[in-house]
């Protein structure tokens, strides 16, 4: 698994400038170069800009700077101006936001909010699933029943609040989106089953700058990234069927590329004007039949009615608006059931069908790719801007790709790694075991020439960020890890299911 000397020379520019639009993300005086201000760090790439050494081996008894209890949750930690912030469920209907000194773990403040009753979600997820965003002045925090809140970073006192529609997820995947910072705005995308939309708020005041109603989207969990081409920034968001490039000032859709599948749970990586995507998704009809009709609450008759959907969702009533949106357009023969191609019509927008149809592949409908799309352009850039697209067998549907120095690394459940070069998407090696099995939900992050890949079983694999991606160590932190770690101030911050741990070179 290695790059030729020609490849290494060709990608030296990417090595020197690892984060597209980094200037836009760090130009405000309230951000430091070494901060980890949001999910997966600068521009959601997983690439730390710090230069301090990071540990290869660590555990609850080795190279541990500090550890604190932070309630139950899977949202990651963020670091800004020497403070680290994280949230967790500290009661059945209480969510808390914590602030600590990043160097010592000393508690700085804590805020508690009552959430009200919360719907059932998948056991792997948590109600506290959102990673905050932060700068030196404020912390930006999202929770489903509270909306988007900003509090003072030094004191935790209220700064502003924006109420948002409470999302509905019929498959019980639950919430998973986090706010992202760009220039003087807070960006938030939530493609749920009822109110899919993208918002841009003023960081200082909370004023709504613009909103895009993404009614052509099904459920997605992909964060916005910034791509700069020829001096122009675009906010790029993955979604049902399409990558979309937004005008940051107006929220207008500048361009789209119809290159994706039915839904996307990974977040693209943008480097040097190119957007890299890994995606895996089943067809919509297959999803509904497997998840609902064939569930213990279903009857496995190959079709759906409203009662079957409600039985699957459970105690919380399915909103009537959901039935109007889906059965209203999909029940073509008005018999009260969704069957066959009616499932495609019901659950995907008529102007944006994506992925395999019921007729094409029936209940085996699924696909997976890695690809590169050139940023910029106007209108439909599907044909003009798709640089390459490669079918894969080991693409994870949740773990985002790691891209650096002309290489793309994928990590799939079971601990399987594959690698590609980023000029043409040709294979650099794999599949191979990276040293830890089990499931993966956290995305790889890197610093000090090391890649950190956290597994659900609490083992964190440390790999060399170089040709071959050699595994250097596998470290057991003693608790399940779902969230993506953060890197800042010479430390690796790991949010386990119940703790926040800071690891650094101490011995």
């Amino acid at each position: 698994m290695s790059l030729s000397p020609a490849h290494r020379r060709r990608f030296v520019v990417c090595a020197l400038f690892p984060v597209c639009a980094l200037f836009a993300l760090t130009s405000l005086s309230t951000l430091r170069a070494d901060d980890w201000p949001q999910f997966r760090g600068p521009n959601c790439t997983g690439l730390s800009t710090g230069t301090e050494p990071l540990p290869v081996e660590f555990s609850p008894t080795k190279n541990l700077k500090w550890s604190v209890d932070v309630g139950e949750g899977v949202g990651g930690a963020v670091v800004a101006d020497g403070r680290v912030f994280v949230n967790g469920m500290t009661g059945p209907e209480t969510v808390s936001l914590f602030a600590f000194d990043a160097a010592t773990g000393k508690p700085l403040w804590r805020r508690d909010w009552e959430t009200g009753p919360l719907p059932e979600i998948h056991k792997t997820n948590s109600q506290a699933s959102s990673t905050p965003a932060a700068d030196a002045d404020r912390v930006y925090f999202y929770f489903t029943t509270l909306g988007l809140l900003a509090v003072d970073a030094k004191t935790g006192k209220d700064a502003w609040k924006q109420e948002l529609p409470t999302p509905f997820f019929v498959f019980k995947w639950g919430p998973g989106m986090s706010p992202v910072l760009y220039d003087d705005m807070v960006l938030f995308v939530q493609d749920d089953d009822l109110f899919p939309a993208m918002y841009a708020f003023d960081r200082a005041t909370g004023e709504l700058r613009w909103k895009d109603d993404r009614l052509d989207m099904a459920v997605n969990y992909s964060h916005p990234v910034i791509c700069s081409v020829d001096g122009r920034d675009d906010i790029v968001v993955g979604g049902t069927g399409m990558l979309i490039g937004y005008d940051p000032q107006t929220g207008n859709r500048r361009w789209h590329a119809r290159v994706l599948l039915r839904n996307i749970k990974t977040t693209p990586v943008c480097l040097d004007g190119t957007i890299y995507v890994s995606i895996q998704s089943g067809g919509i009809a297959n999803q509904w039949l497997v998840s609902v009709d064939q569930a213990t609450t279903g009857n496995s008759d190959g079709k759906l009615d409203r009662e079957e959907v409600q039985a699957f969702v459970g105690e919380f009533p399915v909103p009537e608006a959901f039935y109007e949106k889906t059965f209203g357009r999909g029940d073509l023969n008005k018999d009260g059931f969704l069957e066959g191609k009616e499932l495609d019509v019901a659950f995907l927008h008529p102007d944006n069908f994506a992925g395999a149809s019921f007729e094409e592949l029936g209940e085996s409908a699924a696909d997976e790719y890695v690809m590169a799309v050139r940023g910029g352009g106007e209108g439909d850039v599907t044909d003009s801007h798709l640089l390459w697209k490669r079918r894969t067998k080991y693409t994870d549907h949740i773990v985002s790709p790691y891209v650096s120095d002309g290489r793309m690394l994928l990590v799939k459940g079971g601990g399987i790694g594959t690698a590609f070069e980023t000029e043409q998407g040709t294979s650099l090696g794999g599949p191979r075991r990276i040293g830890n099995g089990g499931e993966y939900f956290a995305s790889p992050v890197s610093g000090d020439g090391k890649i950190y890949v956290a597994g659900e079983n609490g083992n964190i694999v440390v790999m060399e960020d170089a040709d071959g991606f050699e595994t250097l160590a596998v470290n057991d932190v003693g608790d399940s890890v779902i969230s993506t770690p953060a890197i800042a101030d010479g430390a690796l911050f790991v949010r386990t299911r119940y703790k926040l741990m800071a690891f650094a070179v101490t011995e």
Side-chain angles (χ1 to χ4, degrees):
M1 192 186 296
S2 63
L3 281 175
S4 68
H7 278 141
R8 283 192 286 269
R9 288 193 299 270
R10 187 174 295 128
F11 293 111
V12 67
V13 173
C14 290
L16 291 173
F17 298 98
V19 183
C20 78
L22 182 60
F23 175 79
L25 285 169
T26 59
S27 60
L28 298 180
S29 61
T30 53
L31 284 178
R32 301 187 310 182
D34 192 27
D35 283 345
W36 193 271
Q38 60 199 18
F39 168 76
R40 219 180 177 204
N43 208 20
C44 304
T45 60
L47 303 177
S48 169
T49 59
T51 58
E52 297 182 59
L54 294 169
V56 173
E57 296 182 341
F58 49 88
S59 73
T61 59
K62 184 175 185 178
N63 283 325
L64 176 67
K65 289 184 69 177
W66 51 263
S67 175
V68 292
D69 294 328
V70 289
E72 184 273 336
V74 300
V78 296
V79 185
D81 198 32
R83 306 180 191 92
V84 57
F85 308 97
V86 73
N87 72 92
M89 299 300 297
T90 51
E93 295 183 8
T94 303
V95 64
S96 301
L97 181 64
F98 300 86
F100 302 96
D101 181 274
T104 66
K106 175 185 175 182
L108 301 177
W109 51 260
R110 167 179 167 172
R111 288 291 307 275
D112 300 324
W113 291 274
E114 295 303 311
T115 66
L118 299 170
E120 178 188 353
I121 59 173
H122 192 281
K123 64 180 181 179
T124 303
N125 202 358
S126 167
Q127 303 290 353
S129 61
S130 182
T131 299
D135 54 39
D137 299 321
R138 284 170 291 275
V139 187
Y140 310 92
F141 172 57
Y142 172 77
F143 194 86
T144 54
T145 58
L146 302 176
L148 185 65
L149 303 90
V151 301
D152 187 280
K154 300 178 183 66
T155 65
K157 293 182 179 179
D158 292 336
W160 52 260
K161 178 180 179 179
Q162 276 283 359
E163 294 186 0
L164 298 174
T166 300
F168 174 67
F169 301 96
V170 71
F171 287 140
K172 297 188 287 190
W173 294 338
M177 294 305 297
S178 305
V180 168
L181 303 181
Y182 167 73
D183 198 31
D184 61 348
M185 294 184 288
V186 183
L187 308 177
F188 185 72
V189 180
Q190 181 146 263
D191 289 346
D192 72 321
D193 278 302
L194 271 186
F195 312 107
M198 178 175 178
Y199 305 86
F201 298 104
D202 185 280
R203 274 206 223 183
T205 67
E207 174 189 0
L208 178 65
R209 295 279 190 87
W210 51 260
K211 174 187 176 184
D212 179 42
D213 288 312
R214 292 165 55 89
L215 299 177
D216 52 351
M217 297 290 146
V219 173
N220 299 288
Y221 292 90
S222 196
H223 294 79
V225 297
I226 310 304
C227 188
S228 182
V229 176
D230 296 329
R232 188 189 84 182
D233 286 354
D234 291 334
I235 300 171
V236 178
V237 183
T240 301
M242 295 189 288
L243 277 176
I244 298 174
Y246 289 88
D247 183 326
Q249 302 308 314
T250 66
N252 293 333
R253 299 185 181 190
R254 282 175 168 164
W255 57 264
H256 66 271
R258 294 185 180 274
V259 293
L260 304 185
L261 296 171
R262 192 265 301 181
N263 75 354
I264 178 171
K265 300 175 186 175
T266 58
T267 293
V269 173
C270 177
L271 297 177
D272 197 28
T274 299
I275 305 141
Y276 301 95
V277 184
S278 65
I279 185 169
Q280 189 275 340
S281 176
I284 190 67
N286 174 71
Q287 179 75 56
W288 272 92
L289 293 174
V290 170
S291 297
V292 180
D293 183 53
Q294 296 172 23
T296 56
T297 55
N299 55 25
S300 298
D301 63 355
K303 55 187 178 181
L304 300 172
D305 60 21
R306 294 185 179 210
E307 289 73 21
E308 197 170 14
V309 174
Q310 181 62 70
F312 172 78
V313 170
E315 177 184 351
F316 271 62
V318 175
E320 184 59 31
F322 175 78
Y323 290 132
E324 293 173 0
K325 176 181 177 180
T326 55
F327 281 76
R329 71 186 180 202
D331 185 9
L332 303 178
N333 61 8
K334 306 303 179 184
D335 67 350
F337 294 92
L338 299 177
E339 184 176 9
K341 69 176 183 180
E342 290 182 328
L343 293 163
D344 291 338
V345 176
F347 299 118
L348 287 179
H349 192 278
D351 297 330
N352 188 30
F353 185 87
S357 69
F358 183 87
E359 281 98 344
E360 286 174 329
L361 292 176
E363 296 184 10
S364 64
D367 219 334
E368 52 189 308
Y369 297 97
V370 290
M371 68 186 75
V373 178
R374 180 162 53 91
E378 301 285 344
D380 189 340
V381 300
T382 304
D383 296 329
S384 59
H385 283 53
L386 178 62
L387 299 176
W388 52 261
K389 181 178 180 179
R390 299 284 180 263
R391 190 181 299 275
T392 60
K393 294 183 179 180
Y394 300 97
T395 308
D396 195 89
H397 68 297
I398 293 177
V399 181
S400 298
Y402 176 79
V403 183
S404 176
D405 198 23
R407 302 177 296 257
M408 173 189 287
L409 170 68
L410 305 182
V411 176
K412 185 175 177 61
I416 301 173
T418 53
F420 307 84
E421 57 84 25
T422 56
E423 184 181 35
Q424 299 293 332
T426 55
S427 175
L428 289 177
R432 71 173 180 85
R433 302 287 179 178
I434 66 172
N436 177 50
E439 291 300 319
Y440 284 80
F441 298 93
S443 296
V445 298
S446 74
D448 186 34
K450 307 174 186 72
I451 303 171
Y452 298 88
V453 189
E456 183 188 21
N457 61 7
N459 289 335
I460 299 180
V461 178
V462 184
M463 307 173 73
E464 185 180 16
D465 191 7
D467 298 355
F469 295 108
E470 178 187 353
T471 296
L472 303 176
V474 179
N475 302 294
D476 186 355
V477 299
D479 190 14
S480 177
V481 182
I482 304 295
S483 66
T484 296
I487 297 174
D489 300 342
L492 176 73
F493 298 88
V494 177
R495 203 279 191 232
T496 73
R497 178 67 77 163
Y498 295 98
K499 294 179 178 295
L500 178 62
M501 312 173 82
F503 298 99
V505 179
T506 61
E507 56 185 77

